[in-house]
Amino acid sequence: MTKLLLINSSVFGNDGQSSRLADDFVARWRRQAPDLAVTRRILSDEPLSHLTDERFRAALTPAAERTPGQQREAEPADAAVQELLDADVLVLGVPVYNFHVPSTLKAWFDHVARAGTTFRYTANGPEGLLTGKRAYVFVTSGGRYSGTDADFVTPYIKHFLAFLGIEDVEFIRAEGLAMGEDAARGALDEAAERIARLAA
Ligand SMILES: Cc1cc2nc3c(=O)[nH]c(=O)nc-3n(C[C@H](O)[C@H](O)[C@H](O)COP(=O)(O)O)c2cc1C
């Protein structure tokens, strides 16, 4: 059984354009493989809080040594880390907001990058511990950034996932969604075709 973790980060929840692409991909995959186990997190409905000194320390304190307060602080991040550890496949729905990933996704990244659990420091630099996983990242944007200096999102996500050890990453983009109806329809149709091929 394959375990898939779906993280949608649009402020529009299920109605987000990025969410719809990611959801469509997962739904198609599920039709092919009914035993696919899907965990779905909609960050607009249940965001992880920003890191604070207390939360960061609580997260890095071994569970058996935490105070009850630290345990409470660490629980949401512990759950997010466990979901990622359990997953074989990670699917991200990512709109471009102000040239970057939504802050809810950044907060999720901040919590799941846990030294000693999802990566570790070595004499040769950091080493990702999440090897053997695959990721599919659905990126939507009003403008077009592919291949330009203003593409801060896909290189960042690629780098971050590789830092955790996830090197097998497929990006599916729908760009120019605010550049007129024809451009938007073309980009969404193209993304839909790729999704159909990927999920086949
Ligand atoms: C708060 C906000 C900021 C945005 N910033 C950008 C941006 O910097 N560049 C861009 O191309 N589009 C921007 N857009 C447009 C979105 O990237 C585009 O509509 C995307 O498809 C939204 O995906 P979603 O429906 O999944 O949230 C922005 C939209 C919102 C709501």
Side-chain angles (χ1 to χ4, degrees), residues 70-123:
Q70 282 184 315
Q71 188 53 34
R72 267 196 309 279
E73 288 286 353
E75 259 160 27
D78 284 355
V81 167
Q82 195 56 53
E83 284 173 357
L84 182 57
L85 291 172
D86 289 344
D88 304 300
V89 179
L90 174 66
V91 176
L92 300 177
V94 187
V96 174
Y97 290 161
N98 299 310
F99 309 103
H100 219 283
V101 302
S103 55
T104 51
L105 184 62
K106 178 61 167 65
W108 187 84
F109 284 172
D110 286 342
H111 286 286
V112 299
R114 188 176 284 187
T117 306
T118 56
F119 74 97
R120 69 180 170 207
Y121 294 109
T122 76

CSV table of all heavy atoms in Angstrom, one decimal, residues 70-123:
chain,number,residue,atom,x,y,z
A,70,GLN,N,5.8,22.0,27.1
A,70,GLN,CA,6.5,21.8,25.9
A,70,GLN,C,5.8,20.7,25.0
A,70,GLN,O,5.8,20.8,23.8
A,70,GLN,CB,7.9,21.3,26.2
A,70,GLN,CG,8.9,22.4,26.6
A,70,GLN,CD,10.3,21.9,26.9
A,70,GLN,OE1,10.5,20.9,27.5
A,70,GLN,NE2,11.2,22.6,26.4
A,71,GLN,N,5.3,19.7,25.7
A,71,GLN,CA,4.6,18.6,24.9
A,71,GLN,C,3.4,19.2,24.1
A,71,GLN,O,3.2,18.9,23.0
A,71,GLN,CB,4.1,17.6,25.9
A,71,GLN,CG,3.6,16.3,25.3
A,71,GLN,CD,4.5,15.7,24.2
A,71,GLN,OE1,5.7,15.7,24.4
A,71,GLN,NE2,3.9,15.1,23.2
A,72,ARG,N,2.7,20.1,24.8
A,72,ARG,CA,1.5,20.8,24.1
A,72,ARG,C,2.0,21.6,22.9
A,72,ARG,O,1.5,21.6,21.8
A,72,ARG,CB,0.8,21.7,25.1
A,72,ARG,CG,-0.4,21.0,25.8
A,72,ARG,CD,-1.3,22.0,26.4
A,72,ARG,NE,-0.6,23.0,27.3
A,72,ARG,CZ,-0.2,22.7,28.5
A,72,ARG,NH1,-0.5,21.6,29.1
A,72,ARG,NH2,0.4,23.7,29.2
A,73,GLU,N,3.1,22.3,23.1
A,73,GLU,CA,3.7,23.2,22.1
A,73,GLU,C,4.1,22.4,20.9
A,73,GLU,O,4.0,22.8,19.7
A,73,GLU,CB,4.9,24.0,22.6
A,73,GLU,CG,4.6,25.1,23.6
A,73,GLU,CD,3.9,26.3,22.9
A,73,GLU,OE1,3.9,26.3,21.6
A,73,GLU,OE2,3.5,27.2,23.6
A,74,ALA,N,4.7,21.2,21.2
A,74,ALA,CA,5.3,20.4,20.1
A,74,ALA,C,4.4,19.5,19.4
A,74,ALA,O,4.7,19.0,18.3
A,74,ALA,CB,6.5,19.5,20.7
A,75,GLU,N,3.2,19.3,19.9
A,75,GLU,CA,2.3,18.3,19.3
A,75,GLU,C,1.9,18.5,17.9
A,75,GLU,O,2.0,17.6,17.1
A,75,GLU,CB,1.0,18.1,20.2
A,75,GLU,CG,1.1,16.8,21.1
A,75,GLU,CD,0.2,16.8,22.2
A,75,GLU,OE1,-0.9,17.5,22.2
A,75,GLU,OE2,0.6,16.2,23.2
A,76,PRO,N,1.5,19.7,17.5
A,76,PRO,CA,1.1,19.9,16.1
A,76,PRO,C,2.3,19.6,15.1
A,76,PRO,O,2.1,19.0,14.1
A,76,PRO,CB,0.7,21.3,16.0
A,76,PRO,CG,0.4,21.7,17.4
A,76,PRO,CD,1.3,20.9,18.3
A,77,ALA,N,3.5,20.0,15.5
A,77,ALA,CA,4.7,19.8,14.7
A,77,ALA,C,5.0,18.3,14.7
A,77,ALA,O,5.4,17.8,13.6
A,77,ALA,CB,5.8,20.7,15.1
A,78,ASP,N,4.9,17.7,15.8
A,78,ASP,CA,5.2,16.2,15.9
A,78,ASP,C,4.3,15.5,14.9
A,78,ASP,O,4.8,14.6,14.2
A,78,ASP,CB,4.9,15.7,17.3
A,78,ASP,CG,6.0,16.0,18.3
A,78,ASP,OD1,7.0,16.6,17.9
A,78,ASP,OD2,5.8,15.7,19.5
A,79,ALA,N,3.0,15.9,14.9
A,79,ALA,CA,2.1,15.2,14.0
A,79,ALA,C,2.5,15.4,12.6
A,79,ALA,O,2.4,14.5,11.7
A,79,ALA,CB,0.7,15.7,14.3
A,80,ALA,N,2.9,16.7,12.2
A,80,ALA,CA,3.2,17.0,10.8
A,80,ALA,C,4.5,16.2,10.4
A,80,ALA,O,4.6,15.6,9.3
A,80,ALA,CB,3.5,18.5,10.7
A,81,VAL,N,5.4,16.1,11.3
A,81,VAL,CA,6.7,15.4,11.0
A,81,VAL,C,6.3,13.9,10.8
A,81,VAL,O,6.8,13.2,9.9
A,81,VAL,CB,7.7,15.5,12.2
A,81,VAL,CG1,8.8,14.5,12.1
A,81,VAL,CG2,8.3,17.0,12.2
A,82,GLN,N,5.5,13.3,11.7
A,82,GLN,CA,5.1,11.9,11.6
A,82,GLN,C,4.4,11.6,10.3
A,82,GLN,O,4.7,10.6,9.7
A,82,GLN,CB,4.3,11.5,12.8
A,82,GLN,CG,4.2,10.0,13.0
A,82,GLN,CD,5.5,9.3,13.2
A,82,GLN,OE1,6.3,9.7,14.0
A,82,GLN,NE2,5.8,8.3,12.3
A,83,GLU,N,3.5,12.5,9.9
A,83,GLU,CA,2.8,12.3,8.6
A,83,GLU,C,3.8,12.3,7.5
A,83,GLU,O,3.7,11.5,6.5
A,83,GLU,CB,1.8,13.4,8.4
A,83,GLU,CG,0.6,13.2,9.3
A,83,GLU,CD,-0.4,14.4,9.2
A,83,GLU,OE1,-0.1,15.4,8.5
A,83,GLU,OE2,-1.4,14.3,9.8
A,84,LEU,N,4.8,13.1,7.5
A,84,LEU,CA,5.8,13.2,6.5
A,84,LEU,C,6.7,11.9,6.5
A,84,LEU,O,7.0,11.3,5.5
A,84,LEU,CB,6.6,14.4,6.6
A,84,LEU,CG,7.7,14.7,5.5
A,84,LEU,CD1,7.1,14.7,4.1
A,84,LEU,CD2,8.4,16.0,5.7
A,85,LEU,N,7.1,11.5,7.7
A,85,LEU,CA,7.9,10.3,7.8
A,85,LEU,C,7.1,9.1,7.3
A,85,LEU,O,7.7,8.2,6.6
A,85,LEU,CB,8.3,10.0,9.3
A,85,LEU,CG,9.2,11.0,10.0
A,85,LEU,CD1,9.3,10.7,11.5
A,85,LEU,CD2,10.6,10.9,9.3
A,86,ASP,N,5.8,9.0,7.6
A,86,ASP,CA,5.0,7.9,7.1
A,86,ASP,C,4.8,7.8,5.6
A,86,ASP,O,4.5,6.8,5.1
A,86,ASP,CB,3.6,7.9,7.9
A,86,ASP,CG,3.8,7.6,9.3
A,86,ASP,OD1,4.8,7.1,9.8
A,86,ASP,OD2,2.8,7.9,10.1
A,87,ALA,N,4.8,9.0,5.0
A,87,ALA,CA,4.4,9.0,3.6
A,87,ALA,C,5.5,8.4,2.6
A,87,ALA,O,6.7,8.6,2.8
A,87,ALA,CB,4.2,10.5,3.2
A,88,ASP,N,5.0,7.8,1.6
A,88,ASP,CA,5.9,7.3,0.5
A,88,ASP,C,5.9,8.4,-0.6
A,88,ASP,O,6.9,8.6,-1.2
A,88,ASP,CB,5.3,6.1,-0.2
A,88,ASP,CG,5.1,4.9,0.8
A,88,ASP,OD1,6.1,4.5,1.4
A,88,ASP,OD2,4.0,4.5,1.0
A,89,VAL,N,4.8,9.2,-0.7
A,89,VAL,CA,4.7,10.2,-1.7
A,89,VAL,C,4.2,11.5,-1.1
A,89,VAL,O,3.2,11.4,-0.3
A,89,VAL,CB,3.7,9.7,-2.8
A,89,VAL,CG1,3.6,10.8,-3.9
A,89,VAL,CG2,4.1,8.4,-3.4
A,90,LEU,N,4.8,12.6,-1.4
A,90,LEU,CA,4.3,13.9,-1.0
A,90,LEU,C,3.8,14.7,-2.2
A,90,LEU,O,4.4,14.7,-3.2
A,90,LEU,CB,5.5,14.6,-0.4
A,90,LEU,CG,5.3,16.1,0.1
A,90,LEU,CD1,4.3,16.1,1.2
A,90,LEU,CD2,6.6,16.7,0.5
A,91,VAL,N,2.6,15.2,-2.0
A,91,VAL,CA,2.0,16.0,-3.0
A,91,VAL,C,1.7,17.4,-2.4
A,91,VAL,O,1.1,17.5,-1.4
A,91,VAL,CB,0.7,15.4,-3.5
A,91,VAL,CG1,0.0,16.4,-4.6
A,91,VAL,CG2,0.9,14.1,-4.2
A,92,LEU,N,2.3,18.5,-3.1
A,92,LEU,CA,2.1,19.8,-2.6
A,92,LEU,C,1.3,20.6,-3.6
A,92,LEU,O,1.6,20.7,-4.8
A,92,LEU,CB,3.5,20.5,-2.4
A,92,LEU,CG,4.5,19.9,-1.4
A,92,LEU,CD1,5.8,20.6,-1.4
A,92,LEU,CD2,3.9,19.8,0.0
A,93,GLY,N,0.3,21.3,-3.1
A,93,GLY,CA,-0.4,22.3,-3.9
A,93,GLY,C,0.1,23.7,-3.5
A,93,GLY,O,0.0,24.1,-2.3
A,94,VAL,N,0.7,24.4,-4.5
A,94,VAL,CA,1.5,25.6,-4.1
A,94,VAL,C,1.1,26.8,-5.0
A,94,VAL,O,1.6,26.8,-6.2
A,94,VAL,CB,3.0,25.4,-4.2
A,94,VAL,CG1,3.7,26.6,-3.6
A,94,VAL,CG2,3.4,24.1,-3.4
A,95,PRO,N,0.3,27.8,-4.6
A,95,PRO,CA,0.2,29.0,-5.4
A,95,PRO,C,1.4,29.9,-5.1
A,95,PRO,O,2.0,29.9,-4.0
A,95,PRO,CB,-1.1,29.6,-4.8
A,95,PRO,CG,-1.2,29.1,-3.4
A,95,PRO,CD,-0.5,27.8,-3.3
A,96,VAL,N,1.7,30.7,-6.1
A,96,VAL,CA,2.7,31.8,-5.9
A,96,VAL,C,2.0,33.0,-5.3
A,96,VAL,O,1.1,33.5,-5.9
A,96,VAL,CB,3.4,32.2,-7.2
A,96,VAL,CG1,4.4,33.3,-7.0
A,96,VAL,CG2,4.1,31.0,-7.9
A,97,TYR,N,2.5,33.4,-4.1
A,97,TYR,CA,1.9,34.6,-3.4
A,97,TYR,C,3.1,35.5,-3.2
A,97,TYR,O,4.1,35.2,-2.5
A,97,TYR,CB,1.3,34.2,-2.1
A,97,TYR,CG,0.0,33.5,-2.2
A,97,TYR,CD1,-0.5,32.8,-1.0
A,97,TYR,CD2,-0.8,33.5,-3.3
A,97,TYR,CE1,-1.7,32.1,-1.1
A,97,TYR,CE2,-2.0,32.8,-3.4
A,97,TYR,CZ,-2.4,32.1,-2.2
A,97,TYR,OH,-3.6,31.4,-2.3
A,98,ASN,N,3.0,36.7,-3.8
A,98,ASN,CA,4.1,37.7,-3.6
A,98,ASN,C,5.5,37.1,-3.8
A,98,ASN,O,6.4,37.2,-3.0
A,98,ASN,CB,4.0,38.4,-2.2
A,98,ASN,CG,2.6,39.1,-2.2
A,98,ASN,OD1,2.3,39.9,-3.1
A,98,ASN,ND2,1.8,38.8,-1.1
A,99,PHE,N,5.5,36.4,-5.0
A,99,PHE,CA,6.7,35.8,-5.5
A,99,PHE,C,7.3,34.6,-4.8
A,99,PHE,O,8.3,34.1,-5.1
A,99,PHE,CB,7.8,36.9,-5.7
A,99,PHE,CG,7.3,38.1,-6.4
A,99,PHE,CD1,6.9,39.2,-5.7
A,99,PHE,CD2,7.1,38.0,-7.8
A,99,PHE,CE1,6.4,40.3,-6.4
A,99,PHE,CE2,6.5,39.1,-8.5
A,99,PHE,CZ,6.2,40.3,-7.8
A,100,HIS,N,6.6,34.2,-3.8
A,100,HIS,CA,7.1,33.0,-3.0
A,100,HIS,C,6.0,32.1,-2.6
A,100,HIS,O,4.9,32.2,-3.1
A,100,HIS,CB,7.9,33.6,-1.8
A,100,HIS,CG,9.1,32.8,-1.5
A,100,HIS,ND1,9.1,31.5,-0.9
A,100,HIS,CD2,10.4,33.0,-1.8
A,100,HIS,CE1,10.3,31.1,-0.9
A,100,HIS,NE2,11.2,32.0,-1.4
A,101,VAL,N,6.4,31.1,-1.8
A,101,VAL,CA,5.4,30.1,-1.4
A,101,VAL,C,4.5,30.8,-0.3
A,101,VAL,O,4.9,31.7,0.4
A,101,VAL,CB,6.0,28.8,-0.8
A,101,VAL,CG1,6.9,28.2,-1.8
A,101,VAL,CG2,6.8,29.1,0.5
A,102,PRO,N,3.2,30.3,-0.1
A,102,PRO,CA,2.4,30.9,0.9
A,102,PRO,C,3.1,30.7,2.3
A,102,PRO,O,3.8,29.7,2.5
A,102,PRO,CB,1.1,30.0,0.8
A,102,PRO,CG,1.1,29.5,-0.6
A,102,PRO,CD,2.5,29.3,-0.9
A,103,SER,N,2.8,31.7,3.2
A,103,SER,CA,3.5,31.6,4.5
A,103,SER,C,3.1,30.4,5.3
A,103,SER,O,3.9,29.9,6.1
A,103,SER,CB,3.2,32.9,5.3
A,103,SER,OG,1.8,33.1,5.4
A,104,THR,N,1.9,29.8,5.0
A,104,THR,CA,1.5,28.6,5.7
A,104,THR,C,2.4,27.4,5.3
A,104,THR,O,2.7,26.6,6.1
A,104,THR,CB,0.0,28.3,5.4
A,104,THR,OG1,-0.2,28.3,4.0
A,104,THR,CG2,-0.9,29.2,6.1
A,105,LEU,N,2.8,27.4,4.0
A,105,LEU,CA,3.7,26.3,3.6
A,105,LEU,C,5.1,26.5,4.2
A,105,LEU,O,5.7,25.6,4.6
A,105,LEU,CB,3.7,26.2,2.1
A,105,LEU,CG,4.5,25.1,1.5
A,105,LEU,CD1,3.9,23.7,2.0
A,105,LEU,CD2,4.6,25.1,0.0
A,106,LYS,N,5.5,27.8,4.2
A,106,LYS,CA,6.8,28.1,4.8
A,106,LYS,C,6.8,27.6,6.3
A,106,LYS,O,7.8,27.0,6.8
A,106,LYS,CB,7.1,29.6,4.7
A,106,LYS,CG,8.5,30.0,5.4
A,106,LYS,CD,9.7,29.3,4.7
A,106,LYS,CE,11.0,29.9,5.1
A,106,LYS,NZ,11.3,29.7,6.5
A,107,ALA,N,5.7,27.9,7.0
A,107,ALA,CA,5.6,27.5,8.4
A,107,ALA,C,5.7,25.9,8.5
A,107,ALA,O,6.4,25.4,9.4
A,107,ALA,CB,4.3,28.0,9.1
A,108,TRP,N,5.0,25.3,7.6
A,108,TRP,CA,5.0,23.8,7.6
A,108,TRP,C,6.5,23.3,7.3
A,108,TRP,O,6.9,22.4,8.0
A,108,TRP,CB,4.1,23.3,6.5
A,108,TRP,CG,3.9,21.8,6.5
A,108,TRP,CD1,3.0,21.0,7.3
A,108,TRP,CD2,4.6,20.8,5.7
A,108,TRP,NE1,3.2,19.7,7.0
A,108,TRP,CE2,4.1,19.5,6.0
A,108,TRP,CE3,5.5,20.9,4.7
A,108,TRP,CZ2,4.5,18.4,5.4
A,108,TRP,CZ3,6.0,19.8,4.0
A,108,TRP,CH2,5.5,18.5,4.4
A,109,PHE,N,7.1,23.9,6.4
A,109,PHE,CA,8.6,23.6,6.1
A,109,PHE,C,9.4,23.8,7.4
A,109,PHE,O,10.2,23.0,7.8
A,109,PHE,CB,9.1,24.5,5.0
A,109,PHE,CG,8.7,24.1,3.6
A,109,PHE,CD1,9.1,24.9,2.5
A,109,PHE,CD2,8.0,23.0,3.3
A,109,PHE,CE1,8.7,24.6,1.2
A,109,PHE,CE2,7.6,22.6,2.0
A,109,PHE,CZ,8.0,23.5,1.0
A,110,ASP,N,9.2,24.9,8.1
A,110,ASP,CA,9.9,25.2,9.3
A,110,ASP,C,9.8,24.1,10.3
A,110,ASP,O,10.7,23.8,11.1
A,110,ASP,CB,9.5,26.6,9.9
A,110,ASP,CG,10.0,27.8,9.0
A,110,ASP,OD1,11.0,27.6,8.2
A,110,ASP,OD2,9.5,28.9,9.2
A,111,HIS,N,8.6,23.6,10.4
A,111,HIS,CA,8.3,22.6,11.4
A,111,HIS,C,8.8,21.2,11.1
A,111,HIS,O,9.2,20.4,11.9
A,111,HIS,CB,6.8,22.6,11.8
A,111,HIS,CG,6.4,23.7,12.6
A,111,HIS,ND1,6.7,23.9,13.9
A,111,HIS,CD2,5.7,24.9,12.3
A,111,HIS,CE1,6.2,25.0,14.4
A,111,HIS,NE2,5.6,25.6,13.4
A,112,VAL,N,8.7,20.9,9.8
A,112,VAL,CA,9.1,19.5,9.4
A,112,VAL,C,10.6,19.4,9.2
A,112,VAL,O,11.1,18.2,9.1
A,112,VAL,CB,8.3,18.9,8.2
A,112,VAL,CG1,6.8,18.9,8.5
A,112,VAL,CG2,8.6,19.7,6.9
A,113,ALA,N,11.3,20.5,9.1
A,113,ALA,CA,12.8,20.4,9.0
A,113,ALA,C,13.3,20.3,10.4
A,113,ALA,O,13.5,21.3,11.1
A,113,ALA,CB,13.4,21.7,8.4
A,114,ARG,N,13.4,19.0,10.9
A,114,ARG,CA,13.7,18.8,12.3
A,114,ARG,C,15.1,18.0,12.3
A,114,ARG,O,15.2,16.9,11.9
A,114,ARG,CB,12.6,18.0,13.0
A,114,ARG,CG,12.8,17.9,14.5
A,114,ARG,CD,11.7,17.2,15.1
A,114,ARG,NE,10.5,18.0,15.3
A,114,ARG,CZ,9.5,17.7,16.0
A,114,ARG,NH1,9.4,16.5,16.6
A,114,ARG,NH2,8.4,18.5,16.1
A,115,ALA,N,16.1,18.7,12.9
A,115,ALA,CA,17.4,18.1,13.0
A,115,ALA,C,17.3,16.8,13.8
A,115,ALA,O,16.7,16.7,14.8
A,115,ALA,CB,18.4,19.1,13.7
A,116,GLY,N,18.0,15.8,13.3
A,116,GLY,CA,18.0,14.5,13.9
A,116,GLY,C,16.9,13.6,13.5
A,116,GLY,O,16.9,12.4,13.8
A,117,THR,N,15.8,14.2,12.9
A,117,THR,CA,14.7,13.4,12.5
A,117,THR,C,14.5,13.4,11.0
A,117,THR,O,14.4,12.3,10.4
A,117,THR,CB,13.4,13.9,13.2
A,117,THR,OG1,13.6,14.0,14.6
A,117,THR,CG2,12.2,13.0,12.9
A,118,THR,N,14.4,14.5,10.4
A,118,THR,CA,14.2,14.6,8.9
A,118,THR,C,15.5,15.0,8.2
A,118,THR,O,15.6,14.8,7.0
A,118,THR,CB,13.1,15.6,8.5
A,118,THR,OG1,13.4,16.9,9.0
A,118,THR,CG2,11.8,15.1,9.1
A,119,PHE,N,16.5,15.5,8.9
A,119,PHE,CA,17.8,15.7,8.4
A,119,PHE,C,18.8,15.7,9.5
A,119,PHE,O,18.4,15.7,10.7
A,119,PHE,CB,17.9,17.0,7.6
A,119,PHE,CG,18.0,18.2,8.5
A,119,PHE,CD1,19.2,18.8,8.9
A,119,PHE,CD2,16.8,18.8,9.1
A,119,PHE,CE1,19.3,19.9,9.7
A,119,PHE,CE2,16.9,19.9,9.9
A,119,PHE,CZ,18.1,20.4,10.3
A,120,ARG,N,20.1,15.5,9.2
A,120,ARG,CA,21.1,15.6,10.3
A,120,ARG,C,22.3,16.3,9.8
A,120,ARG,O,22.6,16.4,8.6
A,120,ARG,CB,21.4,14.2,10.8
A,120,ARG,CG,22.2,13.4,9.8
A,120,ARG,CD,22.5,12.0,10.4
A,120,ARG,NE,23.1,11.2,9.3
A,120,ARG,CZ,23.0,9.9,9.3
A,120,ARG,NH1,22.4,9.2,10.3
A,120,ARG,NH2,23.5,9.2,8.3
A,121,TYR,N,23.0,16.9,10.7
A,121,TYR,CA,24.3,17.6,10.4
A,121,TYR,C,25.4,16.6,10.5
A,121,TYR,O,25.4,15.7,11.4
A,121,TYR,CB,24.5,18.7,11.4
A,121,TYR,CG,23.5,19.8,11.4
A,121,TYR,CD1,22.6,20.0,12.4
A,121,TYR,CD2,23.5,20.7,10.3
A,121,TYR,CE1,21.7,21.0,12.3
A,121,TYR,CE2,22.6,21.7,10.2
A,121,TYR,CZ,21.7,21.9,11.3
A,121,TYR,OH,20.8,22.9,11.2
A,122,THR,N,26.3,16.6,9.5
A,122,THR,CA,27.4,15.7,9.5
A,122,THR,C,28.7,16.6,9.2
A,122,THR,O,28.5,17.8,8.9
A,122,THR,CB,27.3,14.7,8.4
A,122,THR,OG1,27.6,15.3,7.1
A,122,THR,CG2,26.0,14.0,8.3
A,123,ALA,N,29.8,16.0,9.3
A,123,ALA,CA,31.1,16.7,9.0
A,123,ALA,C,31.1,17.2,7.6
A,123,ALA,O,31.8,18.1,7.2
A,123,ALA,CB,32.3,15.8,9.3
